[in-house]
Amino acid sequence: MEETYLLNVEGVKKKILHGGRGELPKLQDGSKFTFHFQTLKDDFERTVIDDSREAGVPMEIIVGKMFKLEIWETLLSSMRIGEVAEFWCDAIHTGMYALVSRGMRRISEGRDPLEGQKHRCGMGNMFDYHSTGYDDLDELQRTPQPLIFIMELFRVEDPSAYKRDTWAMSKEEKLAAVPVLHSEGNRLVLRREFAQAAAKYQEAVICLRNLQAKEKPWEDGWLKLESLVTPLVLNYCQCQLELGEYYEVLEHTTELLQKHNDNAKAYFKRAKAHAAVWNEREAREDFQCVAHLDPSMAAAVKKELKQLGERMRKKHVEDRKRYQGLFQSSQGL
Protein backbone atom coordinates (compact mmCIF):
# COMPACT_ATOMS: atom_id res chain seq x y z
CA MET A 1 0.00 0.00 0.00
CA GLU A 2 1.30 3.45 -0.87
CA GLU A 3 2.48 5.82 1.83
CA THR A 4 0.19 8.74 2.63
CA TYR A 5 0.63 11.78 4.85
CA LEU A 6 -1.53 11.78 7.94
CA LEU A 7 -4.05 14.57 7.77
CA ASN A 8 -2.81 17.80 9.42
CA VAL A 9 0.35 16.16 10.80
CA GLU A 10 3.62 17.51 9.45
CA GLY A 11 6.63 15.19 9.30
CA VAL A 12 4.68 11.92 9.56
CA LYS A 13 4.00 9.25 6.93
CA LYS A 14 1.81 6.21 7.45
CA LYS A 15 1.73 2.86 5.68
CA ILE A 16 -0.97 0.32 6.61
CA LEU A 17 0.57 -3.17 6.74
CA HIS A 18 -2.59 -4.97 7.88
CA GLY A 19 -6.05 -3.48 7.88
CA GLY A 20 -8.03 -3.18 11.07
CA ARG A 21 -11.73 -3.67 11.71
CA GLY A 22 -14.65 -1.35 12.36
CA GLU A 23 -14.57 2.40 12.61
CA LEU A 24 -11.90 4.56 14.20
CA PRO A 25 -12.35 4.35 17.98
CA LYS A 26 -14.08 7.25 19.70
CA LEU A 27 -11.58 8.70 22.16
CA GLN A 28 -11.87 10.81 25.30
CA ASP A 29 -9.52 11.86 28.07
CA GLY A 30 -8.63 8.74 30.00
CA SER A 31 -9.15 6.29 27.12
CA LYS A 32 -6.45 3.60 27.15
CA PHE A 33 -4.57 2.27 24.12
CA THR A 34 -3.04 -1.23 24.36
CA PHE A 35 -0.59 -2.06 21.57
CA HIS A 36 2.70 -3.64 20.57
CA PHE A 37 5.37 -1.53 18.94
CA GLN A 38 8.72 -1.82 17.25
CA THR A 39 11.09 1.13 16.86
CA LEU A 40 13.52 1.16 13.94
CA LYS A 41 16.22 3.49 12.71
CA ASP A 42 15.64 5.02 9.30
CA ASP A 43 18.81 3.47 7.89
CA PHE A 44 19.56 0.86 5.23
CA GLU A 45 19.47 -2.01 7.74
CA ARG A 46 16.33 -0.64 9.47
CA THR A 47 18.13 -1.28 12.77
CA VAL A 48 15.77 -2.33 15.56
CA ILE A 49 16.03 -0.13 18.65
CA ASP A 50 13.15 -1.49 20.76
CA ASP A 51 10.56 -4.24 20.39
CA SER A 52 7.80 -4.60 23.00
CA ARG A 53 7.25 -8.24 22.03
CA GLU A 54 10.70 -9.09 23.35
CA ALA A 55 9.59 -7.84 26.77
CA GLY A 56 6.45 -9.96 26.38
CA VAL A 57 4.12 -7.21 27.62
CA PRO A 58 2.09 -4.84 25.40
CA MET A 59 2.48 -1.10 25.83
CA GLU A 60 -0.31 1.01 27.34
CA ILE A 61 -0.80 4.77 27.22
CA ILE A 62 -3.64 6.96 28.45
CA VAL A 63 -5.18 9.65 26.24
CA GLY A 64 -4.67 13.16 27.59
CA LYS A 65 -2.06 12.23 30.23
CA MET A 66 0.87 13.94 28.47
CA PHE A 67 2.86 10.86 27.54
CA LYS A 68 6.37 12.19 26.86
CA LEU A 69 6.29 11.08 23.21
CA GLU A 70 3.17 13.00 22.23
CA ILE A 71 3.21 11.84 18.61
CA TRP A 72 2.34 8.29 19.69
CA GLU A 73 -1.12 9.39 20.79
CA THR A 74 -1.62 10.95 17.36
CA LEU A 75 -0.42 7.83 15.54
CA LEU A 76 -2.62 5.48 17.54
CA SER A 77 -5.63 7.75 17.10
CA SER A 78 -5.40 7.11 13.35
CA MET A 79 -5.64 3.32 13.75
CA ARG A 80 -8.49 0.81 13.88
CA ILE A 81 -8.58 -2.17 16.23
CA GLY A 82 -6.40 -4.98 14.87
CA GLU A 83 -4.58 -2.68 12.46
CA VAL A 84 -0.83 -2.93 11.94
CA ALA A 85 0.76 0.24 10.59
CA GLU A 86 4.21 1.64 9.94
CA PHE A 87 4.86 5.29 10.70
CA TRP A 88 7.84 7.34 9.57
CA CYS A 89 8.33 10.28 11.95
CA ASP A 90 10.69 13.17 11.37
CA ALA A 91 13.15 14.25 14.07
CA ILE A 92 10.81 17.04 15.19
CA HIS A 93 8.65 14.30 16.73
CA THR A 94 11.32 11.92 18.04
CA GLY A 95 13.60 14.10 20.18
CA MET A 96 12.23 12.62 23.43
CA TYR A 97 12.43 8.99 22.33
CA ALA A 98 15.72 8.27 24.14
CA LEU A 99 14.18 9.35 27.46
CA VAL A 100 10.98 7.35 26.87
CA SER A 101 12.90 4.24 25.81
CA ARG A 102 15.21 4.49 28.82
CA GLY A 103 12.21 4.41 31.17
CA MET A 104 10.58 1.48 29.36
CA ARG A 105 13.81 -0.52 29.38
CA ARG A 106 14.36 0.07 33.08
CA ILE A 107 10.82 -1.09 33.86
CA SER A 108 11.33 -4.28 31.84
CA GLU A 109 14.55 -4.87 33.83
CA GLY A 110 12.66 -4.48 37.11
CA ARG A 111 14.34 -1.16 37.93
CA ASP A 112 12.95 2.25 38.92
CA PRO A 113 12.37 4.24 35.69
CA LEU A 114 12.66 7.55 37.59
CA GLU A 115 15.82 6.76 39.52
CA GLY A 116 18.16 9.74 39.41
CA GLN A 117 15.65 12.12 37.87
CA LYS A 118 15.18 15.58 39.27
CA HIS A 119 11.72 17.09 39.57
CA ARG A 120 11.92 19.04 36.34
CA CYS A 121 10.37 18.93 32.92
CA GLY A 122 11.31 16.11 30.57
CA MET A 123 13.62 18.22 28.42
CA GLY A 124 15.45 19.47 31.49
CA ASN A 125 16.03 15.89 32.55
CA MET A 126 17.62 15.11 29.19
CA PHE A 127 20.44 17.49 30.04
CA ASP A 128 20.74 16.15 33.59
CA TYR A 129 21.33 12.55 32.49
CA HIS A 130 24.45 13.04 30.37
CA SER A 131 24.15 9.34 29.67
CA THR A 132 21.02 7.23 29.53
CA GLY A 133 23.01 4.13 30.45
CA TYR A 134 22.44 2.65 26.99
CA ASP A 135 24.87 3.34 24.15
CA ASP A 136 22.28 3.29 21.35
CA LEU A 137 20.02 5.71 23.24
CA ASP A 138 22.96 8.01 23.98
CA GLU A 139 23.47 8.23 20.22
CA LEU A 140 19.82 9.19 19.68
CA GLN A 141 20.05 11.73 22.47
CA ARG A 142 23.12 13.37 20.93
CA THR A 143 21.75 13.27 17.39
CA PRO A 144 17.93 13.37 17.11
CA GLN A 145 16.88 11.66 13.89
CA PRO A 146 13.83 10.31 12.05
CA LEU A 147 12.51 7.01 13.41
CA ILE A 148 10.13 4.34 12.17
CA PHE A 149 7.42 2.97 14.48
CA ILE A 150 5.55 -0.22 13.61
CA MET A 151 2.43 -0.49 15.77
CA GLU A 152 -0.27 -3.11 16.25
CA LEU A 153 -3.34 -1.81 18.07
CA PHE A 154 -5.13 -4.44 20.18
CA ARG A 155 -7.80 -2.46 21.99
CA VAL A 156 -9.02 0.95 23.09
CA GLU A 157 -10.87 1.12 26.41
CA ASP A 158 -13.02 3.87 27.84
CA PRO A 159 -12.01 5.20 31.29
CA SER A 160 -14.93 3.34 32.89
CA ALA A 161 -13.90 0.02 31.35
CA TYR A 162 -10.68 -0.56 33.30
CA LYS A 163 -9.15 0.02 36.72
CA ARG A 164 -7.19 3.21 36.38
CA ASP A 165 -3.71 3.44 37.84
CA THR A 166 -3.27 6.11 40.49
CA TRP A 167 -1.12 8.32 38.24
CA ALA A 168 -3.87 8.39 35.60
CA MET A 169 -6.58 9.65 37.98
CA SER A 170 -7.77 13.23 38.22
CA LYS A 171 -7.68 15.09 41.54
CA GLU A 172 -11.37 14.39 42.13
CA GLU A 173 -10.94 10.70 41.31
CA LYS A 174 -8.03 10.37 43.75
CA LEU A 175 -9.99 12.01 46.57
CA ALA A 176 -12.97 9.75 45.86
CA ALA A 177 -10.76 6.64 45.77
CA VAL A 178 -9.17 7.22 49.20
CA PRO A 179 -12.16 6.36 51.46
CA VAL A 180 -13.01 3.38 49.25
CA LEU A 181 -9.46 2.02 49.53
CA HIS A 182 -9.43 2.72 53.28
CA SER A 183 -12.66 0.77 53.73
CA GLU A 184 -11.41 -2.12 51.57
CA GLY A 185 -8.22 -2.25 53.65
CA ASN A 186 -10.20 -2.41 56.88
CA ARG A 187 -12.36 -5.21 55.49
CA LEU A 188 -9.28 -7.22 54.51
CA VAL A 189 -7.76 -6.72 57.98
CA LEU A 190 -10.86 -8.25 59.55
CA ARG A 191 -10.27 -11.26 57.29
CA ARG A 192 -6.60 -11.24 58.37
CA GLU A 193 -5.48 -10.75 54.78
CA PHE A 194 -2.77 -8.33 55.86
CA ALA A 195 -0.70 -8.20 52.66
CA GLN A 196 -3.74 -7.33 50.57
CA ALA A 197 -4.89 -4.79 53.17
CA ALA A 198 -1.45 -3.15 53.22
CA ALA A 199 -1.61 -2.76 49.43
CA LYS A 200 -4.96 -0.94 49.72
CA TYR A 201 -3.66 1.43 52.40
CA GLN A 202 -0.50 2.05 50.39
CA GLU A 203 -2.48 2.88 47.25
CA ALA A 204 -4.59 5.37 49.22
CA VAL A 205 -1.45 7.00 50.62
CA ILE A 206 -0.01 7.33 47.10
CA CYS A 207 -3.19 9.11 45.96
CA LEU A 208 -2.90 11.60 48.80
CA ARG A 209 0.86 12.11 48.42
CA ASN A 210 0.36 12.90 44.73
CA LEU A 211 -2.17 15.56 45.71
CA GLN A 212 0.07 16.89 48.49
CA ALA A 213 2.88 17.44 46.01
CA LYS A 214 0.79 20.22 44.48
CA GLU A 215 0.24 21.98 47.82
CA LYS A 216 2.57 24.18 49.87
CA PRO A 217 3.93 22.16 52.83
CA TRP A 218 2.28 22.90 56.18
CA GLU A 219 -0.39 25.18 54.68
CA ASP A 220 -4.10 24.39 55.05
CA GLY A 221 -4.50 22.24 51.93
CA TRP A 222 -1.38 20.22 52.70
CA LEU A 223 -2.35 19.75 56.37
CA LYS A 224 -5.84 18.58 55.45
CA LEU A 225 -4.39 15.88 53.21
CA GLU A 226 -1.78 14.98 55.86
CA SER A 227 -4.56 14.34 58.36
CA LEU A 228 -5.89 11.70 55.95
CA VAL A 229 -2.45 10.22 55.31
CA THR A 230 -1.51 9.61 58.95
CA PRO A 231 -4.13 6.99 59.89
CA LEU A 232 -3.52 5.18 56.60
CA VAL A 233 0.22 4.96 57.30
CA LEU A 234 -0.50 3.68 60.81
CA ASN A 235 -2.84 1.02 59.42
CA TYR A 236 -0.22 0.06 56.86
CA CYS A 237 2.37 -0.29 59.63
CA GLN A 238 0.05 -2.47 61.68
CA CYS A 239 -0.28 -4.81 58.69
CA GLN A 240 3.49 -4.91 58.33
CA LEU A 241 3.84 -5.78 62.03
CA GLU A 242 1.46 -8.69 61.50
CA LEU A 243 3.51 -9.77 58.47
CA GLY A 244 6.81 -9.56 60.37
CA GLU A 245 8.16 -6.72 58.20
CA TYR A 246 9.65 -4.91 61.19
CA TYR A 247 12.22 -2.77 59.39
CA GLU A 248 9.47 -1.54 57.06
CA VAL A 249 7.58 -0.41 60.17
CA LEU A 250 10.67 1.31 61.60
CA GLU A 251 11.15 3.24 58.36
CA HIS A 252 7.57 4.48 58.03
CA THR A 253 6.92 5.27 61.69
CA THR A 254 10.21 7.18 61.94
CA GLU A 255 9.28 9.22 58.88
CA LEU A 256 5.86 9.90 60.38
CA LEU A 257 7.31 10.96 63.74
CA GLN A 258 9.68 13.39 62.05
CA LYS A 259 6.57 15.35 61.06
CA HIS A 260 4.33 14.52 64.02
CA ASN A 261 6.43 13.88 67.12
CA ASP A 262 3.36 13.75 69.38
CA ASN A 263 1.72 10.74 67.74
CA ALA A 264 1.48 8.09 70.46
CA LYS A 265 0.26 5.38 68.07
CA ALA A 266 3.28 5.85 65.83
CA TYR A 267 5.61 5.54 68.86
CA PHE A 268 3.73 2.42 69.97
CA LYS A 269 4.08 0.67 66.60
CA ARG A 270 7.73 1.69 66.32
CA ALA A 271 8.38 0.40 69.84
CA LYS A 272 6.88 -2.98 68.94
CA ALA A 273 9.06 -3.14 65.81
CA HIS A 274 12.17 -2.26 67.84
CA ALA A 275 11.29 -4.95 70.37
CA ALA A 276 10.84 -7.52 67.59
CA VAL A 277 14.37 -6.91 66.27
CA TRP A 278 15.94 -6.84 69.78
CA ASN A 279 16.51 -3.08 69.98
CA GLU A 280 15.72 -3.05 73.68
CA ARG A 281 16.85 0.49 74.54
CA GLU A 282 14.99 2.06 71.60
CA ALA A 283 11.87 0.04 72.35
CA ARG A 284 11.83 1.12 76.00
CA GLU A 285 12.32 4.78 75.03
CA ASP A 286 9.43 4.66 72.57
CA PHE A 287 7.12 2.88 75.03
CA GLN A 288 7.91 5.58 77.63
CA CYS A 289 6.96 8.24 75.05
CA VAL A 290 3.64 6.49 74.51
CA ALA A 291 2.84 6.49 78.22
CA HIS A 292 3.76 10.17 78.48
CA LEU A 293 1.74 11.28 75.43
CA ASP A 294 -1.33 9.14 76.06
CA PRO A 295 -1.92 8.02 79.68
CA SER A 296 -4.87 5.91 78.48
CA MET A 297 -2.33 3.56 76.88
CA ALA A 298 -0.36 3.11 80.12
CA ALA A 299 -1.78 -0.37 80.75
CA ALA A 300 -0.87 -1.52 77.23
CA VAL A 301 2.62 -0.07 77.64
CA LYS A 302 3.10 -1.85 80.98
CA LYS A 303 2.10 -5.15 79.38
CA GLU A 304 4.48 -4.63 76.44
CA LEU A 305 7.37 -3.69 78.72
CA LYS A 306 6.80 -6.82 80.81
CA GLN A 307 6.82 -8.99 77.69
CA LEU A 308 9.93 -7.21 76.42
CA GLY A 309 11.76 -7.85 79.69
CA GLU A 310 10.84 -11.53 79.64
CA ARG A 311 11.94 -11.93 76.00
CA MET A 312 15.25 -10.16 76.64
CA ARG A 313 16.01 -12.28 79.73
CA LYS A 314 15.28 -15.44 77.75
CA LYS A 315 17.49 -14.23 74.93
CA HIS A 316 20.36 -13.45 77.33
CA VAL A 317 20.14 -16.96 78.82
CA GLU A 318 20.14 -18.56 75.38
CA ASP A 319 23.04 -16.39 74.22
CA ARG A 320 25.05 -17.29 77.34
CA LYS A 321 24.53 -21.00 76.75
CA ARG A 322 25.46 -20.64 73.10
CA TYR A 323 28.67 -18.78 73.87
CA GLN A 324 29.60 -21.29 76.58
CA GLY A 325 29.12 -24.10 74.08
CA LEU A 326 31.29 -22.35 71.53
CA PHE A 327 33.99 -21.74 74.13
CA GLN A 328 33.98 -25.37 75.27
CA SER A 329 34.15 -26.57 71.65
CA SER A 330 37.13 -24.33 70.93
CA GLN A 331 38.89 -25.62 74.09
CA GLY A 332 38.55 -29.17 72.89
CA LEU A 333 40.23 -28.49 69.55
Side-chain angles (χ1 to χ4, degrees), residues 123-316:
M123 189 58 72
N125 276 318
M126 291 288 282
F127 294 107
D128 285 333
Y129 289 143
H130 302 297
S131 172
T132 62
Y134 304 93
D135 292 340
D136 58 339
L137 299 183
D138 287 345
E139 178 192 346
L140 292 180
Q141 184 168 286
R142 287 191 300 268
T143 312
Q145 57 194 266
L147 294 174
I148 297 167
F149 302 112
I150 299 176
M151 295 178 161
E152 180 179 2
L153 181 61
F154 296 131
R155 59 182 174 271
V156 178
E157 298 169 275
D158 290 337
S160 60
Y162 65 94
K163 183 180 182 297
R164 302 182 72 185
D165 293 330
T166 298
W167 65 266
M169 293 181 182
S170 67
K171 176 180 179 180
E172 292 72 22
E173 288 170 331
K174 288 174 184 173
L175 285 172
V178 168
V180 175
L181 291 166
H182 197 159
S183 178
E184 289 177 352
N186 292 346
R187 178 178 57 82
L188 288 164
V189 166
L190 291 175
R191 292 164 53 178
R192 301 193 65 77
E193 296 178 15
F194 297 114
Q196 296 87 334
K200 295 294 183 183
Y201 295 137
Q202 186 177 44
E203 188 176 351
V205 169
I206 290 171
C207 285
L208 294 169
R209 292 296 190 209
N210 287 343
L211 295 173
Q212 268 191 318
K214 299 176 183 178
E215 302 284 345
K216 277 194 171 185
W218 303 105
E219 292 194 356
D220 289 346
W222 189 94
L223 288 170
K224 184 176 180 181
L225 293 168
E226 184 69 12
S227 69
L228 300 175
V229 167
T230 300
L232 288 164
V233 172
L234 291 171
N235 287 358
Y236 173 82
C237 288
Q238 183 60 43
C239 291
Q240 297 303 322
L241 281 174
E242 298 286 352
L243 293 167
E245 298 291 344
Y246 304 119
Y247 290 102
E248 181 88 355
V249 177
L250 291 175
E251 177 184 347
H252 288 284
T253 50
T254 297
E255 181 181 347
L256 189 62
L257 287 165
Q258 286 171 349
K259 298 176 184 175
H260 312 287
N261 62 4
D262 60 347
N263 192 302
K265 291 181 179 179
Y267 277 114
F268 190 79
K269 295 184 192 305
R270 190 171 74 171
K272 286 179 71 68
H274 274 309
V277 297
W278 308 106
N279 296 337
E280 181 179 12
R281 178 179 59 81
E282 292 87 347
R284 290 187 180 279
E285 288 177 356
D286 279 352
F287 280 132
Q288 293 300 333
C289 286
V290 174
H292 174 73
L293 290 167
D294 188 351
S296 69
M297 297 181 70
V301 166
K302 184 177 180 180
K303 179 181 176 182
E304 291 290 341
L305 286 171
K306 181 180 179 182
Q307 291 178 350
L308 175 61
E310 291 172 352
R311 288 183 67 237
M312 295 307 301
R313 280 192 293 273
K314 184 177 179 181
K315 182 177 184 297
H316 293 325

